[in-house]
Amino acid sequence: MINRLFGFKGGVKPESHKDESSGAPIQKAPLPKRLVIPLRQSIRSTARCLVEPGQKVLKGEHIGEGEGGLGTSVHASTSGTVVEIAPYPMAHASGLETLSVVIEPDGEDRWIDHTPLDLRTVSREEALAWLRGCGIVGMGGAGFPTHVKLGGGRGIDTLVINGAECEPWITCDDRLMRERAPEVLSGAMILRELIGAKQVRVGIEDNKPEAIAAMQAAASGLGDAVAVVPVPTLYPAGGEKQLIRVLTGVEIPQGKLGTDFGVQCFNVGTAHAVHRAIRFGEPLVSRVVTLTGNVARPGNYEVLLGTQVAELLQLAGPKADTDRYLMGGPMMGTELQSLSVPVTKGTNCIISASPALFPPPPPELPCIRCGACARACPAELQPFELYWFSRAKNFGKAQEYHLFDCIECGCCAFVCPSRIPLVDYYRFAKGEIWARERERQASDLARERFEFRNFRQEREKEEKAAKLAAKAAETRAKLTESGETPAPSAEPEDPKKALVAAALARAKQQQAAVTPRNTDGLNADVQAEIADIDARREKLNQQDADKAP
């Protein structure tokens, strides 16, 4: 197969710092003292808790049920006892907390009963449901549910497997491809079968020769449908749209997805997780994490999800002058506000930073509109315009300049001579827009509820009036049958007044039917008093009859 490479606009070449951790093979991290497993594994959805404190669980047991179309399952990373369900800090720059299940391991690491899934005996929908139940998501950092990406793929021609790993310091995918290339390609072939792609292309940056060789050797027996392609080292070549452009020449415009052009992309870690889920029935309970930076023992470790960063860092041994920690790479990662943050499905690297390795940023200076950020932007945006609009809180204008097409790669901030943290402004603007959108949706919902309440009250009023009218008509019909006819009215008939008139007429009829008093035997004074009472009652009845319509 002849593989022609293309290029993409922009990009930068920061120092890679790959050698610090790429030489050490993957090691299995020991069982931690406790696991803190967040029920929110991504910003898109939160799982519903299925366990309670004191409950015994096994490794791989279902502890959280994904809700909504973007939800995926959450599982226990080892066997033990649920000791607490409480908020814990999540892997986010804000340091906010999210509900988490805390498990105390029993040391046995006992699995649930799990069996492989035979794709030949199940439908495509059942296979996607299986992946959702196993909690498989994108392992490149975004955490997007794999079953959703597979379910939306129709007419896919090319499946791209992303092994570029372009960001500095991170080497977990490099070691995964070196040591587990057959499993990665097995998962890629499963993805190909589920999505119906004709060909598979694996893109790996050319600064990983060992990984390229291992993947090419594993792909040699799979025919011409699979090609392992070295791509030039240029950040962010690992971005989905950028890698698709390099490997296929397809340029995905703003606001579109790869599936619109017959291309779909998955990370090598995701392919490996799919292999374990289908071939062995194992849910996603661990991942490879790079520990690097200002540490004594940098390397890559197979880490159980829920392991807290403070306990994990003991394996690498941070040096004394370490002043902060980054989760992810230096370009797109976030600074940790607490070391009690747990490892999640999207955690690929923990960097120990020091003033020598990562000098504090100089003071922010005014923008000089040099255009360096625009030349470096791989999404072909105008970062300086987005900066001004975001800073001025002119969010509508920022959206007109395609704010949400920004992949937050950090190229603009990397080349900015004024050292403006441009990506921070873009994240602020996106967060404000999302918050206002949620408020608008809540307001729309409240308005709809108010309008429905008014409609319901009006409908009930009409139904009540109809019932009164029907009852009045029934009463008139009975009076007509008995020979009594209500007095006609010149005004339009009111159901309530008609009902009152009918009641008075009925009372009058009943009164007329009463047997006259027998006053014989009474003295003259008593007979006179009774006659006076009867006269007054007759007068009142006549007044009521005159008032009736």
Side-chain angles (χ1 to χ4, degrees):
M1 179 185 295
I2 299 176
N3 295 292
R4 177 189 172 189
L5 296 181
F6 300 83
F8 62 90
K9 183 183 178 297
V12 295
K13 287 189 176 182
E15 294 185 31
S16 64
H17 290 283
K18 302 283 189 179
D19 296 336
E20 283 83 347
S21 58
S22 64
I26 298 173
Q27 303 177 56
K28 186 175 182 180
L31 277 175
K33 296 178 182 178
R34 59 167 41 192
L35 293 166
V36 180
I37 305 176
L39 293 173
R40 177 185 289 275
Q41 289 284 328
S42 72
I43 63 173
R44 297 175 177 87
S45 66
T46 300
R48 177 173 54 87
C49 186
L50 301 178
V51 294
E52 56 187 17
Q55 181 175 337
K56 301 285 186 180
V57 294
L58 297 176
K59 185 173 183 177
E61 186 171 335
H62 210 175
I63 63 172
E65 177 66 37
E67 296 184 330
L70 298 179
T72 55
S73 298
V74 180
H75 304 82
S77 302
T78 190
S79 58
T81 304
V82 177
V83 296
E84 188 182 18
I85 300 173
Y88 274 80
M90 61 180 177
H92 193 271
S94 65
L96 295 175
E97 296 181 338
T98 186
L99 192 65
S100 305
V101 177
V102 182
I103 298 176
E104 186 175 291
D106 58 13
E108 300 180 9
D109 204 33
R110 289 178 297 152
W111 271 97
I112 58 171
D113 294 332
H114 53 286
T115 57
L117 178 69
D118 189 352
L119 293 177
R120 297 170 297 180
T121 62
V122 297
S123 65
R124 181 174 181 271
E125 289 70 25
E126 290 173 326
L128 298 184
W130 181 274
L131 292 178
R132 178 180 182 177
C134 288
I136 308 301
V137 300
M139 305 283 279
F144 196 83
T146 300
H147 71 276
V148 176
K149 291 184 72 172
L150 289 171
R154 299 293 181 186
I156 300 299
D157 178 76
T158 303
L159 172 65
V160 173
I161 302 298
N162 189 346
E165 198 171 50
C166 59
E167 189 153 2
W169 296 95
I170 307 176
T171 58
C172 56
D173 288 350
D174 183 6
R175 292 305 314 188
L176 187 68
M177 290 184 289
R178 290 195 205 185
E179 301 181 32
R180 305 175 186 176
E183 291 89 340
V184 172
L185 289 178
S186 171
M189 300 308 291
I190 294 172
L191 291 170
R192 178 197 178 193
E193 181 178 349
L194 291 176
I195 209 169
K198 299 177 182 178
Q199 58 181 336
V200 178
R201 294 198 176 190
V202 184
I204 308 173
E205 280 194 333
D206 54 15
N207 62 353
K208 305 174 184 63
E210 294 87 352
I212 294 172
M215 293 290 285
Q216 287 177 340
S220 60
L222 298 177
D224 294 338
V226 180
V228 178
V229 185
V231 300
T233 300
L234 179 66
Y235 180 83
E240 181 173 316
K241 291 186 177 181
Q242 286 70 38
L243 187 60
I244 290 174
R245 166 67 179 166
V246 170
L247 292 178
T248 67
V250 175
E251 186 168 356
I252 302 173
Q254 295 172 347
K256 297 292 184 178
L257 300 175
T259 52
D260 299 327
F261 299 87
V263 186
Q264 188 60 284
C265 183
F266 293 93
N267 179 263
V268 291
T270 306
H272 182 265
V274 169
H275 163 78
R276 301 298 302 181
I278 299 296
R279 302 302 183 205
F280 298 93
E282 295 180 2
L284 182 55
V285 295
S286 66
R287 66 155 299 141
V288 180
V289 179
T290 300
L291 301 181
T292 186
N294 192 43
V295 296
R297 299 175 297 277
N300 293 278
Y301 295 84
E302 181 83 29
V303 182
L304 294 178
L305 302 181
T307 303
Q308 291 177 297
V309 171
E311 195 164 352
L312 185 60
L313 286 172
Q314 298 176 9
L315 302 175
K319 297 180 181 179
D321 59 339
T322 300
D323 59 353
R324 57 196 177 99
Y325 298 91
L326 303 176
M327 180 172 283
M331 302 294 287
M332 299 184 67
T334 58
E335 184 175 341
L336 294 178
Q337 305 299 316
S338 170
L339 295 183
S340 61
V341 168
V343 170
T344 62
K345 298 177 182 181
T347 304
N348 53 10
C349 183
I350 305 294
I351 301 177
S352 301
S354 67
L357 285 177
F358 298 94
E364 179 182 334
L365 299 175
C367 174
I368 60 175
R369 292 186 176 271
C370 63
C373 54
R375 291 189 293 272
C377 179
E380 301 187 40
L381 303 176
Q382 299 293 324
F384 56 89
E385 297 286 1
L386 292 175
Y387 159 69
W388 286 112
F389 295 136
S390 300
R391 181 172 178 172
K393 299 183 180 180
N394 190 348
F395 303 127
K397 219 37 173 161
Q399 286 182 277
E400 290 181 15
Y401 276 75
H402 307 287
L403 171 67
F404 286 96
D405 285 324
C406 172
I407 61 175
E408 301 179 14
C409 64
C411 288
C412 53
F414 182 79
V415 301
C416 179
S418 298
R419 300 303 178 193
I420 302 173
L422 296 168
V423 177
D424 292 345
Y425 284 99
Y426 307 152
R427 288 173 177 166
F428 161 74
K430 290 179 181 179
E432 286 294 312
I433 292 172
W434 285 330
R436 294 185 181 189
E437 181 65 20
R438 286 193 296 269
E439 291 177 1
R440 186 189 64 79
Q441 291 176 354
S443 176
D444 291 344
L445 180 61
R447 187 187 70 253
E448 291 174 2
R449 292 174 61 185
F450 176 75
E451 291 175 351
F452 180 75
R453 173 179 174 272
N454 290 343
F455 167 75
R456 188 188 72 247
Q457 290 179 339
E458 188 66 26
R459 183 188 62 192
E460 291 175 351
K461 184 178 179 180
E462 293 176 356
E463 291 175 351
K464 186 175 181 180
K467 290 180 181 178
L468 289 173
K471 191 171 183 180
E474 181 183 356
T475 303
R476 285 197 303 270
K478 290 181 179 179
L479 291 175
T480 302
E481 292 176 0
S482 62
E484 295 287 340
T485 304
S489 175
E491 298 181 357
E493 185 178 26
D494 186 340
K496 289 185 178 180
K497 292 182 178 180
L499 193 62
V500 171
L504 289 174
R506 186 170 59 254
K508 184 177 180 181
Q509 183 181 9
Q510 292 175 352
Q511 184 178 9
V514 174
T515 305
R517 299 175 187 270
N518 184 7
T519 60
D520 296 341
L522 298 177
N523 58 39
D525 293 336
V526 173
Q527 291 180 0
E529 185 176 355
I530 291 175
D532 182 58
I533 292 173
D534 290 340
R536 281 184 292 166
R537 181 180 291 112
E538 181 64 25
K539 183 178 180 181
L540 290 174
N541 291 336
Q542 184 61 40
Q543 290 177 352
D544 291 339
D546 293 340
K547 292 179 182 179

